[in-house]
Amino acid sequence: GPSPKAERDLGLLATCNMGFVVFVTGAAGFIGQAFAVELLKRGVLETGEGLPRSIEYLVLADLVEEIPVVEGYEKEERLVRRGGIDISDNGAFAALLDEHVGDEDTLSVFHLGGIASGDGERDERGADLALDINFLGTRTVMAALRDWNRRTGRQSRFVFTSTNAV
C-alpha cells in the first residue's frame, strides 16, 4: 500500500475539492469591515494544513442588525451578511454554522467580535453586555466549533484577534 506520507498527501488533496467557508464575527466594526475587504481581495486563504484554498463563502456576522455592505463588493455572491447574531446565545452561532457550513467543508472563524466597556455601559443591558459578548460570546463560539469538529470529524480553525479587555 501507499506510504503514510502518500496517504496524508492524498487526504489533503481530497480536501481541496470541498468548500472553504470563512466566518468573521464583529464584522460590522471598523476592523471587521477592513478584514472582509482584504479577504475578498485575496479570495484565498491557507488551510490548517498549509494549502491555499479559494474562499467559497465569507459569512459576516455581528450583533448589529444591519452589517454595512462591503464597499466595492455589493454584488459579491460569496458574501453572506448576517446581522442580529448574539454570539453569547448558546444556539445562535451553532445555528449559523449549521446553515452555512456542510460536514465536508473546511471552516475558519476569525473572531473579531467584542464590545468596548463604554459601549456596554451605554446599552440598556449595561456592563453585562460587554461581559456577555466578550467572555460568554467567545466561549460560545469556541463550544460551537468544538461540537462541529466532533460531529464532522474535521478540524476547524479559530483565530481570536479581539481582546477580552475592552
Side-chain angles (χ1 to χ4, degrees):
S3 71
K5 181 184 179 321
E7 285 182 2
R8 178 186 168 276
D9 291 346
L10 287 172
L12 292 176
L13 287 174
T15 64
C16 292
N17 295 325
M18 298 169 199
F20 190 15
V21 182
V22 177
F23 279 72
V24 177
T25 65
F30 177 77
I31 295 172
Q33 287 285 291
F35 189 60
V37 167
E38 187 60 31
L39 289 173
L40 289 167
K41 279 183 192 174
R42 289 181 183 204
V44 173
L45 278 180
E46 267 192 18
T47 65
E49 294 87 12
L51 296 172
R53 294 277 305 280
S54 295
I55 298 170
E56 184 175 0
Y57 291 106
L58 176 59
V59 181
L60 305 180
D62 203 294
L63 181 61
V64 300
E65 290 293 331
E66 289 294 321
I67 297 176
V69 175
V70 178
E71 189 174 331
Y73 294 91
E74 294 82 1
K75 299 194 186 301
E76 177 61 57
E77 292 181 12
R78 296 174 297 166
L79 189 60
V80 178
R81 295 180 3 240
R82 293 297 308 273
I85 303 298
D86 182 350
I87 61 172
S88 67
D89 175 339
N90 279 328
F93 193 77
L96 196 61
L97 288 178
D98 289 344
E99 182 179 348
H100 294 289
V101 187
D103 288 351
E104 298 298 316
D105 289 335
T106 299
L107 171 62
S108 286
V109 175
F110 291 87
H111 181 44
L112 307 176
I115 298 285
S117 58
D119 291 339
E121 291 164 5
R122 286 189 290 275
D123 186 270
E124 64 189 37
R125 288 175 25 193
D128 286 342
L129 177 64
L131 179 63
D132 287 350
I133 297 298
N134 298 344
F135 176 71
L136 295 177
T138 299
R139 183 178 184 277
T140 300
V141 168
M142 292 175 73
L145 292 173
R146 180 196 61 221
D147 293 346
W148 184 86
N149 292 344
R150 286 179 180 161
R151 188 183 77 242
T152 65
R154 301 187 50 76
Q155 186 63 44
S156 60
R157 178 187 277 184
F158 176 75
V159 180
F160 180 67
T161 57
S162 187
T163 177
N164 61 6
V166 292

